[in-house]
Amino acid sequence: MPSLSISISRNPNHLINGTVFVPRRPLLRRVATISNLSGRHLFEISSSSMSPEKIQRPKLAAVRMSSTPPASHSYDVVVVGAGIIGLSIARQLLNGSDLSVAVVDAAVPCSGATGAGQGYIWMVHKIPGSEKWELAMRSRELWEKFAEDVKHQGMDPQEVLGWKKTGSLLVGKTSQELVALKGKVEQLSKAGLKAELLSSIGLQEVEPALVIGEEGGAAFLPDDYQMDARRSVAYIEKENRKYATEGRYGEYYNQPLTGLLRSGSGKVEAVQTSKNLLHSKKAIVIATGCWTGSLMQELVRDLEIEFNVPVKPRKGHLLVIENFRSFNLNHGLMEVGYVGHQDGTLQPSAETSSISMTATMDTSGNLILGSSRQFIGFSTEISEHVISQIWERAGEFFPSLREFSLTELKKIRQVRVGLRPFMPGGKPMIGRVPGSSNVFLAAGHEGEGLSLALGTAEMVADMVLGNPPKVDNAPYALHTHCNS
């Protein structure tokens, strides 16, 4: 294989305890079509932002009119998107084959939903027998193996990944919710998981700070895990980069997509960024989260097919209280109402947000409270109103929090805001794009990107390599019909 020119940019998010930031990323839209490239078509894409804050963007004129052509590189697979899904797909292909892989992103890892998440691998709120169950169980198994591999290399998974078996509690306050939780425990137990029902008294023993009243209780899964998405991404990047010395890996960060090079037969041959032209010999994988719909609209428009990717951004806030010492959490917690809010298809409204209590404590002693769900376009502005709602809801479960005001905590609080890739129906789209021989899509995981990442990566890699699937991929297939 000829040597490959690679570009690796430093990821500023590798600081484990760095400042939590509010990300800004561009939304893609079509500008022009240029043909007359030896029978090929270059679809130019520009960047625009729905955020009032200014961001650095490449100018199309510079791309189209420059006398110096962009640097050209060749890889077997080009992955567009450097979130936990995209980087995990790259890792799977690098470890499981001899293919070369490039990862492209308009920003850097953890600047989207991945970096704004709470970081749990929980099964307590999932439904055995549902279409996502098999993928969720497989992903959990792969994460456990991942942590074991880190340990076998002489490292501490808690230090490297923020990995810890905390167990999870799905909490209810009323007698009706307790009945539902009892059925949940029976369901999870039949599915082969260790699960038990805790009464309010039993719950008080394991989580003294939690107050739910005499009628409540919780479903308890002792084998669920907590992890740090940012640490995990940093480690995956480090492992991927080991293949760079073999000419098999390249990172192209801070390079927005500006075009797709397509042959006359419809095959997408290359990805054009603001600085490079990346040729793909085998496959292109689109894993761009809530921006996937805009990108795919540009691609399929010229393939003469009707195909819709209904992924849209669902904004979420998390409140982080640093070095919290007032009480300790021994487990990850989530109220029963979270499940309904997660699955609900709310009508898009800037005024409508659903708030449900989630609470975790990371390995650094930070209390992380959530969560909100809101359809408000691509805005990532912090809403103090939503933060207040999260704090008030948490206080209903942890009364000792009412001793503090958000104003008092201002110096030690941080806010994470991310855009979850929401999909109607609640399951991601994973598969080959109809009408294309070499373009694959993996998007729409909403709040389950981290927990489903490794199973998704394995599924996509098996598709690219032509391997038999480990998990039935039919529920996630992309469907369409060609124009007549």
Side-chain angles (χ1 to χ4, degrees):
M1 177 183 297
S3 61
L4 300 177
S5 175
I6 56 178
S7 171
I8 297 180
S9 303
R10 177 175 175 80
N11 182 354
N13 301 309
H14 283 180
L15 293 175
I16 300 303
N17 294 315
T19 302
V20 180
F21 56 91
V22 181
R24 294 288 181 271
R25 289 190 54 179
L27 172 66
L28 301 174
R29 63 180 175 83
R30 181 184 181 86
V31 170
T33 301
I34 302 175
S35 59
N36 193 26
L37 293 171
S38 302
R40 300 170 180 175
H41 306 282
L42 178 63
F43 304 111
E44 294 283 1
I45 302 172
S46 75
S47 301
S48 63
S49 175
M50 297 186 73
S51 165
E53 296 189 14
K54 294 182 180 180
I55 62 174
Q56 293 293 325
R57 311 186 188 96
K59 295 181 179 180
L60 272 182
V63 175
R64 297 164 64 183
M65 303 301 293
S66 174
S67 59
T68 302
S72 180
H73 310 289
S74 180
Y75 294 87
D76 293 309
V77 180
V78 177
V79 178
V80 183
I84 188 63
I85 300 295
L87 286 170
S88 295
I89 291 170
R91 170 184 174 270
Q92 185 73 27
L93 288 166
L94 290 167
N95 290 343
S97 73
D98 60 356
L99 298 180
S100 58
V101 182
V103 177
V104 181
D105 200 283
V108 293
C110 290
S111 58
T114 298
Q118 202 157 3
Y120 47 74
I121 310 295
W122 297 350
M123 301 300 293
V124 70
H125 61 304
K126 300 190 187 299
I127 303 173
S130 65
E131 289 184 312
K132 288 189 293 187
W133 179 257
E134 189 181 3
L135 179 60
M137 287 293 288
R138 178 59 178 168
S139 283
R140 173 195 172 101
E141 178 185 347
L142 291 172
W143 275 119
E144 289 174 332
K145 183 179 183 302
F146 191 118
E148 281 298 313
D149 290 344
V150 170
K151 186 176 180 179
H152 289 158
Q153 294 179 51
M155 296 178 285
D156 182 358
Q158 182 169 321
E159 178 69 24
V160 174
L161 307 174
W163 180 265
K164 189 176 181 181
K165 185 187 285 190
T166 59
S168 64
L169 293 162
L170 186 63
V171 180
K173 283 190 164 189
T174 67
S175 57
Q176 291 87 350
E177 288 177 336
L178 187 61
V179 170
L181 289 170
K182 181 179 180 181
K184 184 73 171 175
V185 168
E186 293 174 351
Q187 194 179 35
L188 291 168
S189 297
K190 288 180 181 179
L193 295 179
K194 184 178 180 181
E196 62 179 290
L197 183 70
L198 299 182
S199 66
S200 59
I201 296 175
L203 190 54
Q204 187 74 28
E205 293 177 356
V206 298
E207 289 292 353
L210 181 67
V211 178
I212 59 168
E214 296 181 357
E215 293 185 346
F220 176 41
L221 264 66
D223 295 332
D224 276 355
Y225 299 93
Q226 189 74 25
M227 66 188 302
D228 187 308
R230 297 184 180 206
R231 295 190 195 192
S232 301
V233 163
Y235 181 75
I236 290 172
E237 281 188 290
K238 179 181 176 182
E239 292 298 296
N240 287 353
R241 287 171 180 172
K242 291 180 179 179
Y243 293 95
T245 57
E246 304 174 16
R248 289 184 54 206
Y249 182 63
E251 290 172 355
Y252 298 85
Y253 295 162
N254 296 304
Q255 297 190 33
L257 206 66
T258 58
L260 299 170
L261 188 66
R262 180 172 70 85
S263 68
S265 63
K267 181 180 180 181
V268 179
E269 296 185 347
V271 168
Q272 173 76 66
T273 76
S274 56
K275 299 178 183 178
N276 292 278
L277 183 63
L278 305 175
H279 291 271
S280 167
K281 291 179 281 187
K282 189 172 183 68
I284 293 172
V285 181
I286 307 297
T288 49
C290 64
W291 292 270
T292 303
S294 302
L295 179 60
M296 293 308 299
Q297 184 179 16
E298 302 304 323
L299 173 62
V300 303
R301 183 177 298 175
D302 294 275
L303 295 181
E304 297 184 350
I305 60 173
E306 292 181 8
F307 176 58
N308 180 39
V309 180
V311 178
K312 60 182 176 180
R314 202 177 195 189
K315 183 179 180 179
H317 288 70
L318 289 177
L319 175 62
V320 182
I321 309 299
E322 297 178 321
N323 300 312
F324 188 76
R325 296 290 181 263
S326 295
F327 61 79
N328 186 58
L329 286 183
N330 302 310
H331 309 85
L333 293 97
M334 174 186 293
E335 68 168 294
V336 172
Y338 178 93
V339 180
H341 290 163
Q342 180 188 37
D343 295 337
T345 54
L346 304 176
Q347 291 298 317
S349 171
E351 304 300 325
T352 302
S353 62
S354 63
I355 306 293
S356 50
M357 187 280 293
T358 62
T360 56
M361 188 162 280
D362 66 21
T363 54
S364 299
N366 301 319
L367 178 65
I368 306 174
L369 301 172
S371 65
S372 67
R373 282 180 159 78
Q374 189 176 23
F375 290 112
I376 193 171
F378 287 86
S379 169
T380 52
E381 293 296 316
I382 293 175
S383 168
E384 290 298 330
H385 175 66
V386 171
I387 293 302
S388 295
Q389 287 182 304
I390 289 174
W391 184 250
E392 290 170 7
R393 186 60 179 167
E396 294 178 19
F397 290 84
F398 301 99
S400 62
L401 290 178
R402 295 172 179 167
E403 299 173 8
F404 306 94
S405 70
L406 285 176
T407 303
E408 293 174 323
L409 299 173
K410 196 166 186 178
K411 292 184 178 180
I412 61 169
R413 80 167 211 191
Q414 295 177 348
V415 177
R416 299 177 186 174
V417 178
L419 301 176
R420 304 179 185 92
F422 171 82
M423 270 286 294
K427 61 181 180 181
M429 302 178 78
I430 307 170
R432 189 192 304 270
V433 174
S436 174
S437 62
N438 68 323
V439 180
F440 298 82
L441 187 149
H445 295 75
E446 216 209 303
E448 299 177 297
L450 188 65
S451 63
L452 298 180
L454 297 193
T456 297
E458 182 182 66
M459 185 179 289
V460 172
D462 284 341
M463 291 176 182
V464 172
L465 299 171
N467 296 333
K470 312 296 190 304
V471 171
D472 182 16
N473 55 36
Y476 311 99
L478 285 61
H479 299 290
T480 187
H481 64 276
C482 294
N483 291 327
S484 57

